[in-house]
Amino acid sequence: MILKSRTKPRIILQLEALLPRIPNFHPTLPLITEDYNKRMAGYKGEQSVDYPLSYLDEKNYFIFHHLRLKTDKHFFQMDTLIFTNKMVIILEIKNFSGTIYFDPKFKQLIQTKDGKEIAYAYPLTQLDRQKANLKEWLRINKLEDIAIQSLVVISNPYTIISTSPEDHHIHHTVIHKEELPNKILQLEKSKITNKLEEKALRKIFKLLLKKHTEGDASILEKYDIKESDLLKGVFCPKCSVLPMDRLKGNWFCPYCGEKNKHAHVKAVKDYRLLIKSTISNRELRDFLKFDSADTATRLFQTMNLRSTGKNKTRIYFLDSLENGKR
């Protein structure tokens, strides 16, 4: 049973909002584009693991995707957690192509593709850290102890996995996604541990969902981009031209002639992802590129946003838009 669904990570949503608003000549555009492509490849790899996971019995396996929790000192995030009444399994999902070599001596993963070698952080070290953090999180929250297992799942079935001869045990921890259901069954059979009662499990599940915290780091700070660097306005939903004009209660595209009443909603969501979670009348007019304060007030009313303050000091909260309530 899936208790927390896999959703597109916030950093990808931020990049999708950012890329169309970066001028073609901006020096950070190649880096942002490269980062977006890498993150999307990783996300697609995670999605591809959902199919083999669907073979698990929903009554006995409880799945959480993209959990971000905090110990006393650190936040930590896990791609996927799978609970049974005997154990919890952490999945670290990697989407690599070509050949990957697990180097146990220098603790690095080396990908060879198209004649080039690229070094990455060692996934087994990442898993050890995640296991320690999860164990600490359970202790801090005074939850019952449960055995913790972990797997590195390679989502591309054509990726060649290799390691040094002395590290022949790596196949116990690193697998292709197709082997996932069988591997989970093997782990369960190999563990002789006390089973947790349903009540104890549900207590853990409830707290996992309650304590999950979505990351909210500034994407502009990450790439050292100024708000003034952004292209502002409302994109045409039909031809993507920027900006649309505000005419007689509609957004009008000067290029293709598209007329749309709600095109501003996407722009306001971009503002939330890129800049901040609140917005004023003046800030809305500046970002959407129109002049009328009365028009801005009417747009806020149609979006049904929470607000605080009065008249010129009023600000509106954008979280409901981001959460998909409108």
Side-chain angles (χ1 to χ4, degrees):
M1 179 185 298
I2 297 175
L3 298 183
K4 185 177 182 301
S5 299
R6 192 185 307 284
T7 57
K8 190 178 288 186
R10 179 178 174 78
I11 181 64
I12 292 181
L13 296 176
Q14 289 177 306
L15 289 169
E16 289 177 341
L18 179 61
L19 278 169
R21 294 188 180 274
I22 293 291
N24 290 333
F25 58 81
H26 200 281
T28 63
L29 184 59
L31 172 62
I32 296 170
T33 302
E34 181 183 3
D35 284 356
Y36 173 71
N37 290 336
K38 286 180 179 178
R39 290 182 182 277
M40 274 305 298
Y43 178 58
K44 289 177 180 177
E46 292 175 13
Q47 287 180 306
S48 72
V49 172
D50 292 344
Y51 179 70
L53 287 179
S54 69
Y55 282 89
L56 297 176
D57 187 346
E58 287 192 355
K59 295 178 182 178
N60 299 320
Y61 296 90
F62 305 91
I63 301 173
F64 297 79
H65 296 300
H66 290 170
L67 274 174
R68 183 173 181 264
L69 306 171
K70 190 177 186 299
T71 64
D72 286 339
K73 295 182 179 179
H74 306 289
F75 278 102
F76 64 103
Q77 185 164 325
M78 295 162 287
D79 292 340
T80 296
L81 275 186
I82 303 171
F83 274 86
T84 73
N85 59 4
K86 294 175 64 176
M87 68 177 66
V88 55
I89 305 167
I90 304 172
L91 303 186
E92 179 69 22
I93 303 166
K94 300 295 184 183
N95 188 7
F96 289 110
S97 55
T99 298
I100 54 174
Y101 176 78
F102 285 79
D103 182 353
K105 184 175 182 180
F106 295 102
K107 302 297 182 183
Q108 61 183 342
L109 183 146
I110 302 170
Q111 179 192 33
T112 303
K113 183 181 177 183
D114 301 327
K116 296 181 180 179
E117 287 188 343
I118 305 173
Y120 294 91
Y122 200 52
L124 300 182
T125 301
Q126 291 176 287
L127 279 181
D128 287 342
R129 189 179 303 117
Q130 288 177 351
K131 286 171 66 175
N133 281 330
L134 182 58
K135 190 175 185 66
E136 177 69 2
W137 183 87
L138 290 168
R139 184 193 66 77
I140 290 170
N141 288 281
K142 299 179 180 179
L143 297 168
E144 287 198 38
D145 195 21
I146 185 170
I148 302 175
Q149 296 292 316
S150 59
L151 294 170
V152 177
V153 182
I154 307 303
S155 61
N156 187 334
Y158 304 106
T159 301
I160 299 171
I161 304 170
S162 64
T163 188
S164 62
E166 63 267 24
D167 198 33
H168 58 277
H169 296 298
I170 198 170
H171 70 277
H172 293 306
T173 308
V174 181
I175 62 171
H176 279 110
K177 66 179 181 183
E178 289 77 13
E179 294 301 313
L180 192 51
N182 288 336
K183 185 64 178 180
I184 291 172
L185 291 175
Q186 289 174 13
L187 287 174
E188 274 220 291
K189 290 178 181 178
S190 66
K191 280 289 174 183
I192 303 174
T193 60
N194 294 327
K195 294 182 180 182
L196 289 189
E197 297 292 333
E198 182 179 346
K199 183 179 179 181
L201 274 177
R202 294 202 175 278
K203 184 177 179 182
I204 294 174
F205 299 164
K206 183 178 180 179
L207 208 58
L208 284 171
L209 294 173
K210 181 180 178 181
K211 295 286 188 176
H212 166 72
T213 305
E214 194 71 48
D216 197 15
S218 169
I219 194 75
L220 298 188
E221 289 181 9
K222 177 179 175 64
Y223 294 103
D224 195 22
I225 295 170
K226 299 175 183 177
E227 185 181 336
S228 58
D229 293 339
L230 299 176
L231 298 173
K232 297 180 180 180
V234 174
F235 281 99
C236 175
K238 186 175 181 181
C239 71
S240 299
V241 156
L242 182 79
M244 298 182 84
D245 298 322
R246 185 70 184 176
L247 297 171
K248 297 180 180 179
N250 284 284
W251 295 99
F252 178 78
C253 178
Y255 182 77
C256 73
E258 170 74 0
K259 187 170 69 172
N260 191 296
K261 280 188 175 294
H262 305 292
H264 59 279
V265 175
K266 172 63 168 63
V268 178
K269 289 181 178 179
D270 288 351
Y271 185 94
R272 168 65 183 99
L273 289 165
L274 300 176
I275 301 173
K276 56 191 175 80
S277 61
T278 62
I279 191 168
S280 67
N281 188 298
R282 179 186 57 78
E283 288 167 336
L284 183 76
R285 285 180 279 135
D286 176 67
F287 194 72
L288 270 56
K289 295 183 71 71
F290 67 90
D291 298 322
S292 171
D294 289 339
T295 296
T297 298
R298 286 193 292 271
L299 291 180
F300 281 131
Q301 290 170 347
T302 64
M303 290 185 285
N304 195 28
L305 300 173
R306 274 192 314 119
S307 66
T308 186
K310 294 182 179 180
N311 302 324
K312 290 184 178 181
T313 65
R314 177 167 291 180
I315 61 170
Y316 296 82
F317 298 92
L318 303 178
D319 291 334
S320 61
L321 278 181
E322 186 183 358
N323 293 336
K325 295 179 182 177
R326 270 194 70 87

